[in-house]
């Protein structure tokens, strides 16, 4: 576990807080949903049981990698499970129910707040997050926050970082954040410049795989076959074409920046650890966060965490870390799932299935097969499925409560 | 201190005396010498503390300036032409956020056809962005206006653009009285931002505003520019006290006493115009000049007053609104509403075309005699135009005309159409 370079502030509050005194908001919501097929005896149960953990063991959480993990010793709990955590993004904002981006932003920024002792500034691109968090004259932000434009966020963040350096305030850290459109498309020029100069900014992309704020249009992060308002599910090859799109984490790595990571809102420990790791490093850092969008994907709000988990467990969204352009760690797929299981609950893939028999075999098996091939390629490329037993539940030791992915050393 | 110095260098050294804390740059002719020189001053430590950021585009240059300014640093950048248009979204944004960024605009034509030489099309393209736009007549004034620009920007919480003619000023080596650090420090206090990104006092900047308040927000921005109409002359007179010379202000009349015909213009062409007017005055012609320094905010009342006695007004412009006519002259005509004074627009010097005293004199004499057309294009090569019109009437096609015109001129060798 990384050390938190903070004394006082949120960390101190967290450690002195009486565990279990208040029900942490968000710790038991959709995120904590447990699927019955989850294997028993997960790492949670084998974590260092401490008498000071203060809560009776509740086995309904066993096997869940989701929010809370209140079975753990307090020192291993997520930031989000702490009733006394600081809130970067307050309740009362206007995101849709089950919005993965709202969750992701809160998780990531709260973790960054803890890592920096609350000493941070966020620069935000135009997009859902910006719009739902700041309906004038209200604001959900508890941190200094600046919205300038859709495509210039990395450069604005660079400017803030330059100002803080010249003002002799290097302890104040800068986070830039944007949706996938603001990152991979319109903001890419500025982002590439920020990477190349190794400016001291953590840039977070909230990837919901389309331009949601303008009504679900295609971006260069929209996956093949997905229906968007500009890749409608009509014609011979409905949805977004195959063979297009940008792999931003890999492009970020190609800049040789100190740190690149991907994460999903389904694995909170992993996400928080990566944010904390990123905040230990100076220079350009990139976090690509997978955030399901119920509205844009035509999915149930309660499925946000499940879809994020399935994206990882199918291999469609590889979860890994890289330093200076070299992959250093990969989150293994625990139980590989066919892509069909991920596609079926999502309205944006409805055309792949038979409307008369939505639970039956795919109406477009060829398309599903091509998507499966993408997942298989990712699995091979990143080594997402390790040798049998290499990441079996329960193996993560006490020093590794987050189920830290093991090293592969594989350069992409 | 008197120096024989290039305009760009004079501006760079003066900007450095203003102690900008973040300088962001992307190269484009004719701005390059300015940012190169500032870069050296940062590298050598002559300007410190200062972060010099080499960015990948003008859009990023203005965006870095926005971030730096919002975080409480004094921010400076410079650009021209295509660069200004490339950053235009951020130009509007800086003004809307009320950030006191200062930018030098080394005025250059806007393509296509691409052209690196001077005119004012770039400045006019951001006329309505909410920036204060000051035009320098000489390199002395260009240098001095930057010192005033930081004062104005930070006291009004508005960005300020100092426009200086590309090449004509930026690359001209002439005598400039450079300010000293002590003088500038005495005139320009450190930047005290009104609102800053600080974890100790978190603010949200840049929220969305809907129809319920947008018009009011815009109206308030207008009021701030109206305030600038008072602040600009006040800062200019304070500058004169501190530095012992006058620069800036809203506008400057020249030999307007008893003038029937008054010429209005922006920037360095005022030098040629004043020489022409001097010669005409020597010949007994009652001609005067009003040089406009503050184009935005536009000093309508002061213009009306300065032109009150004129019987006709000639506006010489290095830009025009295609499909209509003058830009500055529209503002001048608006200022003269109700006076009945006729306004002639003379479009001149586009894309670096030299504006000669002889052509100006001919034009002013025609205007003085009441013979001027309302819209005149100075020194237009009629035969070139006619040939292209003839060609296009014979065979209509889409695409650019530039290559045909150049072929007619014999400037470039190219194949048959
Ligand atoms: C220059 C510019 N082009 C287009 C837009 C319109 N626009 C605003 S937000 C947005 C989509 C944002 O998509 P993304 O970055 O993926 O964020 P999301 O809303 O999906 O979170 C678009 C196209 C804009 N504001 N500015
Ligand atoms: S449209 Fe999607 S990203 Fe936007 S607020 Fe709703 S759920 Fe979140
Ligand atoms: Mg998006």
């Amino acid at each position: 576990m990384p050390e938190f370079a903070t004394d006082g502030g949120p960390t101190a509050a967290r450690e002195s807080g009486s565990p279990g005194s208040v029900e942490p908001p968000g710790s038991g919501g959709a995120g904590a949903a447990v699927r019955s097929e989850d294997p028993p005896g997960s790492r949670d149960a084998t974590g260092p049981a401490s008498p000071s953990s203060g809560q009776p063991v509740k086995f309904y959480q066993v096997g869940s990698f989701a929010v809370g993990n209140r079975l753990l010793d307090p020192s291993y709990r997520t930031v989000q499970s702490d009733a006394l955590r600081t809130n970067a993004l307050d309740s009362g904002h206007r995101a849709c129910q089950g919005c993965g981006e709202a969750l992701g932003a809160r998780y990531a920024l709260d973790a960054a707040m803890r890592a920096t002792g609350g000493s941070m500034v966020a620069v935000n691109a135009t997009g859902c997050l910006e719009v739902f968090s700041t309906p004038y004259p209200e604001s959900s932000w508890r941190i200094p926050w600046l919205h300038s434009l859709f495509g210039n966020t990395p450069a604005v963040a660079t400017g803030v970082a330059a100002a803080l350096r010249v003002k002799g305030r290097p302890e104040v850290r800068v986070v830039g954040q944007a949706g996938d459109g603001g990152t991979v498309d319109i903001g890419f020029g500025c982002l590439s410049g920020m990477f190349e100069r190794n400016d001291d900014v953590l840039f977070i992309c909230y990837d919901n795989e389309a331009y949601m704020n303008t009504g679900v249009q295609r971006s260069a992060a929209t996956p093949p076959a997905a229906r968007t308002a500009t890749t409608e599910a009509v014609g011979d090859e409905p949805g977004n074409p195959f063979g297009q799109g940008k792999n931003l984490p890999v492009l970020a790595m190609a800049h040789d920046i100190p740190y690149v990571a991907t994460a999903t809102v389904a694995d909170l420990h992993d996400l928080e650890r990566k944010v904390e790791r990123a905040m230990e490093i100076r220079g350009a850092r990139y976090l690509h966060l997978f955030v399901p969008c119920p509205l844009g994907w035509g999915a149930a709000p309660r499925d946000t965490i499940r879809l994020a988990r399935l994206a990882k467990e199918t291999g469609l969204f590889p979860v890994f870390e890289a330093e200076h352009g070299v992959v250093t760690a990969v989150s293994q797929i625990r139980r590989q799932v066919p892509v069909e299981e991920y596609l079926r609950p999502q309205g944006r893939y409805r055309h792949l299935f038979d409307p008369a028999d939505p639970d039956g075999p795919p109406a477009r098996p060829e398309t599903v097969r091509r998507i499966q091939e993408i997942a298989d390629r990712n699995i091979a490329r990143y080594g997402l499925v390790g040798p049998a037993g290499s990441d079996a539940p329960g193996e993560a030791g006490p020093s590794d409560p987050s189920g830290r992915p093991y090293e592969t050393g594989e350069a992409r | 201190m008197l120096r024989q110095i290039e305009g760009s260098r004079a501006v760079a050294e003066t900007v450095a005396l203003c102690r900008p804390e973040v300088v962001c740059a992307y190269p484009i002719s004719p701005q390059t010498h300015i940012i190169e020189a500032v870069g050296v001053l940062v590298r050598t430590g002559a300007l410190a503390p200062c972060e010099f950021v080499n960015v990948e585009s003008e859009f990023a240059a203005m965006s870095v300036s926005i971030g730096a300014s919002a975080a409480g640093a004094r921010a400076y950048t410079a650009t021209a032409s295509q660069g200004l248009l490339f950053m235009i979204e951020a130009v509007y944004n800086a003004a809307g956020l009320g950030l006191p960024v200062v930018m030098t605009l080394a005025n250059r034509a806007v393509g296509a056809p691409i052209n690196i030489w001077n005119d004012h099309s770039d400045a006019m393209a951001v006329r309505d962005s909410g920036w204060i736009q000051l035009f320098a007549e000489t390199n002395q004034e260009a240098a001095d206006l930057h010192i005033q620009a930081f004062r104005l920007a930070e006291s009004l919480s508005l960005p300020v653009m100092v426009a200086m003619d590309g090449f004509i000023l930026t690359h001209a080596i002439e005598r400039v009285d450079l300010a000293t650090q002590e003088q500038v420090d005495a005139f320009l206090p450190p930047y005290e931002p009104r609102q800053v990104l600080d974890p100790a006092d978190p603010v949200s900047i840049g929220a969305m505003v809907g129809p319920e308040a947008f018009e009011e927000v815009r109206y308030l921005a207008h009021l701030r520019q109206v305030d600038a109409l008072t602040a600009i002359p006040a800062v200019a007179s304070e500058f004169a006290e501190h530095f012992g010379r006058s620069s800036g202000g809203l506008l400057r009349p020249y030999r307007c006493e008893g003038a029937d015909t008054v010429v209005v213009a922006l920037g360095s062409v005022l030098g040629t115009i004043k020489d022409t007017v001097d010669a005409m005055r020597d010949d007994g012609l009652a001609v005067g000049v009003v040089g406009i320094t503050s184009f935005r905010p536009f000093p309508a009342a002061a213009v009306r007053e300065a032109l009150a006695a004129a019987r006709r007004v000639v506006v010489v412009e290095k830009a025009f609104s295609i499909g209509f006519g003058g830009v500055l002259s529209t503002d001048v005509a608006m200022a003269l509403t109700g006076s009945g004074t006729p306004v002639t627009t003379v479009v001149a010097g586009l894309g670096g075309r030299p504006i000669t005293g002889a052509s100006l004199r001919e034009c002013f004499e025609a205007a003085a005699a009441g013979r001027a057309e309302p819209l005149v294009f100075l020194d237009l090569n009629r035969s070139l135009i006619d040939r292209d019109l003839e060609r296009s009437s014979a065979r209509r096609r889409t695409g650019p005309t530039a290559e045909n015109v150049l072929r007619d001129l014999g400037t470039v060798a190219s194949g048959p159409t």
Side-chain angles (χ1 to χ4, degrees):
Chain A
M1 277 300 270
E3 294 287 318
F4 302 116
T6 55
D7 45 3
T11 307
R14 175 184 172 278
E15 279 160 6
S16 61
S18 132
S21 53
V22 184
E23 177 79 4
S27 67
V34 178
R35 290 171 304 137
S36 53
E37 65 275 25
D38 275 323
S42 83
R43 59 200 162 99
D44 298 347
T46 57
S50 155
S52 71
S53 66
Q55 289 204 356
V57 171
K58 293 174 182 163
F59 283 100
Y60 65 81
Q61 278 203 331
V62 169
S64 165
F65 316 133
V67 185
N69 287 309
R70 279 174 291 141
L71 301 180
L72 288 175
D73 181 89
S75 64
Y76 292 137
R77 289 183 192 168
T78 65
V79 176
Q80 290 302 318
S81 69
D82 187 344
L84 298 174
R85 70 171 190 273
T86 50
N87 265 357
L89 181 66
D90 237 342
S91 58
H93 60 68
R94 298 174 188 186
C96 309
Q97 197 180 25
C99 173
E101 187 162 290
L103 280 178
R106 203 187 73 206
Y107 292 170
L109 294 182
D110 284 356
M113 275 184 94
R114 182 166 70 156
T116 60
S119 184
M120 57 182 283
V121 173
V123 181
N124 210 129
T126 314
C128 271
L129 177 58
E130 169 258 330
V131 170
F132 73 61
S133 64
T134 55
Y136 182 83
E138 292 156 8
S139 173
S140 277
W141 297 101
R142 292 281 182 122
I143 50 175
W145 179 91
L146 171 65
H147 162 246
S148 172
L149 294 170
F150 185 23
N152 70 350
T153 310
V156 175
T158 291
V160 173
L164 291 168
R165 200 158 47 241
V166 83
K167 291 281 182 192
R169 303 197 63 189
E171 77 286 0
V172 183
R173 309 298 299 277
V174 183
V175 175
Q177 47 183 2
D180 48 295
T183 305
V184 311
D185 286 335
I186 200 167
F188 185 65
C190 286
L191 185 64
S192 178
M194 188 214 101
F195 285 164
E196 164 275 312
R197 290 184 303 268
N198 199 23
D199 294 330
D200 190 17
V201 173
L202 167 62
F203 199 87
I204 304 176
C205 169
Y206 300 105
D207 183 5
N208 52 23
E209 302 192 324
Y211 294 120
M212 296 314 177
N213 186 52
T214 36
V216 199
Q217 294 86 13
R218 176 204 183 268
S219 81
T222 301
R227 174 269 164 201
T228 70
T230 50
T231 54
E232 278 293 357
V234 293
D236 292 341
E237 296 205 23
N240 196 38
F242 279 78
Q244 300 184 346
K246 251 184 243 183
N247 186 337
L248 231 278
V250 169
L251 285 169
M253 285 164 61
H255 290 76
D256 275 3
I257 57 175
Y259 187 71
V260 173
T262 66
T264 78
V265 283
D267 191 344
L268 189 47
H269 276 293
D270 179 64
L271 168 58
E272 291 183 347
R273 188 185 57 74
K274 284 171 175 167
V275 171
E276 283 155 7
R277 173 77 188 121
M279 296 321 265
E280 289 172 344
I281 300 170
R282 292 280 173 174
R285 290 143 289 143
Y286 180 67
L287 177 64
H288 193 103
L289 184 54
F290 187 85
V291 290
C293 163
L295 184 105
W297 295 9
R302 68 169 179 279
D303 278 345
T304 293
I305 302 295
R306 182 162 78 99
L307 287 174
R309 187 180 303 126
L310 286 170
K312 184 217 162 201
E313 296 293 290
T314 51
L316 285 173
F317 187 83
V319 177
F320 66 97
E321 275 175 298
E323 299 201 5
H324 297 287
V326 177
V327 173
T328 53
V330 171
S331 285
Q332 297 281 293
I333 290 175
R334 285 168 177 270
R335 211 184 53 265
Q336 197 183 338
V337 179
V339 295
E340 208 183 303
E341 202 176 307
Y342 168 72
L343 304 174
R344 202 181 288 274
Q346 301 185 50
R348 61 177 174 161
Y349 296 114
R350 186 174 296 133
H351 52 283
L352 305 184
F353 300 94
D354 181 357
D357 182 17
D359 297 326
R364 292 180 180 271
E366 176 58 16
T367 309
V368 173
R369 190 189 59 74
R370 291 179 76 183
I371 297 173
Q372 184 63 53
E373 274 174 13
I374 294 170
D376 294 345
R377 270 201 300 276
N378 283 338
I379 289 168
R381 184 181 189 179
Y382 292 94
L384 298 178
V385 178
S390 66
D391 194 21
E395 275 202 1
S399 62
D400 194 9
S402 64
R404 178 167 185 142
Y406 73 75
E407 311 279 314
T408 65
E410 182 211 24
R412 50 181 179 88
Chain B
M1 190 199 349
L2 285 177
R3 296 257 300 273
Q4 189 72 10
I5 190 171
E6 193 198 45
S8 295
R9 174 108 215 150
V11 165
E13 292 192 16
T14 306
V15 164
L17 295 176
C18 296
R19 303 184 189 278
E21 295 165 298
V22 175
V23 174
C24 200
Y26 189 85
I28 180 168
S29 299
Q31 150 267 33
T32 44
H33 291 187
I34 300 172
I35 53 130
E36 288 163 6
V38 177
V40 170
L41 293 170
V42 176
R43 273 290 168 108
T44 57
L47 168 53
C50 180
E51 292 282 328
F52 186 88
V53 190
N54 280 301
V55 286
E56 72 288 346
S57 75
E58 288 86 356
F59 181 59
M62 183 49 64
S63 302
V64 168
S65 305
I66 286 169
S69 188
R74 184 173 283 167
Y76 169 79
T77 187
T79 192
S81 176
Q82 315 299 135
L84 183 66
L85 268 68
F86 200 82
M87 65 163 69
I88 200 162
E89 194 193 8
V91 168
Y92 271 72
N93 192 251
L97 293 174
L99 298 173
V101 177
V102 170
M103 171 161 69
T104 309
L105 182 64
N107 297 107
R108 163 181 155 178
V110 173
I114 190 165
N115 172 304
I116 65 165
W117 293 278
N118 167 248
D119 71 29
H120 291 167
S121 316
D122 51 6
M124 298 301 144
V126 295
R127 179 192 66 178
D128 305 329
S129 62
W131 282 61
I132 291 178
Q133 290 184 302
L134 305 176
F135 277 77
E137 182 179 336
T138 62
N139 279 341
Q140 181 68 61
E141 191 168 47
D144 294 347
L145 281 178
H146 281 87
I147 306 173
Q148 300 185 31
F150 283 104
R151 257 291 287 273
L152 286 166
E154 290 165 15
S155 59
L156 295 165
S157 196
L158 276 180
V160 179
M161 191 181 300
V162 179
M164 64 188 292
D165 285 311
F167 295 111
I168 297 168
L169 293 181
T170 55
H171 288 53
I173 296 175
E174 57 186 25
R175 199 180 76 155
V176 177
D177 191 357
L178 283 179
T180 64
Q181 189 65 67
E182 296 68 44
Q183 283 177 312
V184 175
D185 286 347
F187 180 78
L188 180 63
Y191 174 32
E192 296 273 357
R194 296 185 187 175
Q195 180 178 260
V196 69
L197 295 168
D198 184 353
D201 180 21
V203 285
S204 298
I205 304 176
M208 183 170 207
V209 175
E212 71 285 357
F214 196 80
E215 192 167 325
E216 286 72 19
V217 169
R218 277 286 174 270
Y219 181 73
L220 289 167
H222 173 65
L223 285 190
R224 270 203 271 183
Q225 286 255 347
V226 172
D227 284 349
L229 288 172
T230 317
I232 290 167
V235 166
S237 64
E238 214 184 303
F239 181 90
E241 277 167 36
H242 272 78
F243 294 83
R245 59 177 176 272
S246 82
S247 281
L250 297 173
L251 52 75
R252 259 199 304 279
Y254 177 79
R255 300 192 81 169
C256 280
E257 322 73 44
D260 292 333
T261 303
V262 176
V263 182
V264 179
L266 298 164
S268 66
V269 72
L270 284 163
T272 318
I273 292 173
K274 285 177 181 173
D275 285 349
T276 308
V277 162
D278 284 346
M280 290 173 77
R281 281 279 186 175
D282 288 347
D283 296 341
L285 293 160
V287 193
V289 185
V290 170
I292 309 261
T293 307
S294 172
F295 176 59
R296 281 293 176 275
F298 189 71
V303 167
R304 188 181 170 90
E305 195 186 317
L307 299 177
R311 293 178 51 205
R312 60 193 70 80
V313 171
V314 178
V315 180
V316 177
E317 295 200 54
K318 290 185 177 182
F320 77 111
S321 170
I322 295 174
F324 176 58
V327 182
L328 175 61
S329 31
T330 307
D331 293 358
V332 171
M334 181 86 172
L336 292 173
T337 302
S339 69
T341 313
V343 176
T344 291
T345 304
V346 178
V347 177
L350 296 187
R353 165 88 41 104
I355 302 177
T356 65
S359 299
L360 283 178
R361 174 151 187 168
E362 203 179 306
C363 181
F364 298 162
E365 281 179 355
R371 287 186 281 110
E373 302 279 323
L375 178 61
V376 177
F377 287 81
L378 198 71
D379 295 338
L380 204 59
N381 184 338
R382 260 286 150 203
S383 69
L384 212 54
I385 306 245
D386 290 342
R387 286 182 64 176
D388 197 76
L389 292 178
E390 213 175 288
R391 205 166 20 230
S392 55
S393 69
R395 188 160 73 88
R396 288 193 67 83
R397 46 161 226 172
T398 53
T401 50
E403 286 71 18
N404 282 337
V405 170
L406 287 178
R407 197 162 35 246
D408 291 343
L409 263 182
T411 311
V412 289
S414 41
T417 320

